[in-house]
Amino acid sequence: MVRPYAVKGRKKKRKLDDGAASDAAPPVDDAPAADEAEELPPPEEAGEEKGKLEEEEDGAAAEGLPVVPRPVDGKRRPGAIFVLERACLEVGKVGKTMQILNSDDHANYLRKQNRNPADYRPDIIHQALLAIFDSPLTKAGRLQAVYVRTEKGVLFEIKPHVRMPRTFKRFCGLMSQLLQKLSITAVGKREKLLNVIKNPVTRYLPVGARKIGLSFSAEKSVNLFDYVAKSSDDETLVFVVGAMAHGKIDKEYTDDYIQICNYPLSAACCLNRICSALEQKWNIQ
């Protein structure tokens, strides 16, 4: 077999041509800069990274709560404040996640820890808050603030222009986030719509406010519509309502302790009656 000398000769010729070209061409200073430019990411990739960062920021802002448009007329009008006592909101670690404990989904978990599942009713506070924020009283801008205190003594404030989650699952997720992070901000803003605050609640109430506790076990029975109609518009009305399945509220800081019905009422039904009485007093249609 004959050795392909022609191929070997071509390689040598190419090497000689390359060497001659390198000797003939002087070294260019811009060559290292060109090499460095190749290592940098192209403009399209940089734009994609910037877009990803913007999407992450938008996603972080979307974790907040939407707000309801506030009526702006410049007039100072009387309003109402609600304090919901003994709300059943407790966070527990179920599996690998932190969740608001309730009697339906975590009954076995609660029994293993020697707890009564009937005491874990976060649906009560959810229905109570929906009764307040869905009322014409709130839509007319007469709600000043809502304060909630849990069975564990955690106190938090809810701004009057918050749009509460409609479904129970989303509400539990929101409360779990609040009790862990201590605040919830508005969508796209830094305003705190839900915020954990220090006890007692009386330090946040206006001076001269009339604090009214409601309970079925109260000795004083009144007609709520007449009771509210006789109150002065110069004083802020603070209604203290229990948001638990069984028990009484703390009446130590209340100025009046009344019963509005001959039958036990749920927190949502009681709050509906209060809102209706205030709407009739202030002629809110």
Side-chain angles (χ1 to χ4, degrees), residues 6 10 48 54 77 82 89 91 94 116-117 155 180 187 206 282:
R10 287 178 185 173
E48 291 177 359
E54 291 177 355
R77 298 171 296 181
F82 292 94
L89 294 172
V91 179
V94 182
N116 185 10
L155 178 67
Q180 293 179 72
V187 175
W282 293 325

Side-chain angles (χ1 to χ4, degrees), residues 65-70 161-163 186-187 189 191 193:
L65 272 178
V67 296
V68 179
R70 290 173 259 188
H161 49 278
V162 172
R163 183 176 295 170
V187 175
K189 300 179 182 179
E191 180 186 4
L193 300 179

Side-chain angles (χ1 to χ4, degrees), residues 21-96:
S22 60
D23 293 337
V28 181
D29 296 335
D30 296 338
D35 296 336
E36 292 178 0
E38 292 177 357
E39 296 177 0
L40 295 175
E44 295 180 357
E45 293 181 2
E48 291 177 359
E49 292 179 0
K50 185 177 180 181
K52 290 179 180 178
L53 291 174
E54 291 177 355
E55 290 176 1
E56 291 176 359
E57 291 176 359
D58 294 341
E63 293 179 356
L65 272 178
V67 296
V68 179
R70 290 173 259 188
V72 179
D73 56 2
K75 297 180 181 179
R76 186 176 181 180
R77 298 171 296 181
I81 298 175
F82 292 94
V83 180
L84 305 179
E85 290 279 357
R86 298 184 59 186
C88 302
L89 294 172
E90 184 177 342
V91 179
K93 188 174 184 180
V94 182
K96 296 183 179 180

Side-chain angles (χ1 to χ4, degrees), residues 106-218:
H106 310 111
N108 295 331
Y109 172 85
L110 294 170
R111 291 192 187 98
K112 289 179 181 179
Q113 297 190 356
N114 297 323
R115 302 184 189 180
N116 185 10
D119 295 335
Y120 292 83
R121 294 284 308 281
D123 58 295
I124 296 177
I125 184 64
H126 182 219
Q127 295 171 6
L129 291 174
L130 288 179
I132 296 174
F133 287 96
D134 286 349
S135 65
L137 178 78
T138 301
K139 298 181 186 301
R142 296 299 186 97
L143 178 65
Q144 293 187 2
V146 177
Y147 298 96
V148 179
R149 180 154 50 190
T150 68
E151 283 279 10
K152 297 293 184 180
V154 179
L155 178 67
F156 59 91
E157 177 188 8
I158 305 177
K159 298 295 183 181
H161 49 278
V162 172
R163 183 176 295 170
M164 296 302 298
R166 312 300 302 177
T167 61
F168 179 66
K169 185 176 181 180
R170 289 189 61 193
F171 173 77
C172 288
L174 179 70
M175 291 295 108
S176 176
Q177 183 181 357
L178 171 65
L179 295 176
Q180 293 179 72
K181 296 184 177 181
L182 306 182
S183 65
I184 302 292
T185 57
V187 175
K189 300 179 182 179
R190 295 184 179 180
E191 180 186 4
K192 293 183 178 180
L193 300 179
L194 288 83
N195 188 27
V196 175
I197 55 181
K198 294 182 180 180
N199 283 292
V201 69
T202 52
R203 66 194 298 179
Y204 307 102
L205 302 179
V207 178
R210 187 177 183 183
K211 298 173 283 293
I212 306 166
L214 289 87
S215 177
F216 173 68
S217 60

Side-chain angles (χ1 to χ4, degrees), residues 13-25:
K13 187 175 181 181
R14 285 180 183 174
K15 289 181 180 179
L16 291 174
D17 294 341
D18 293 339
S22 60
D23 293 337

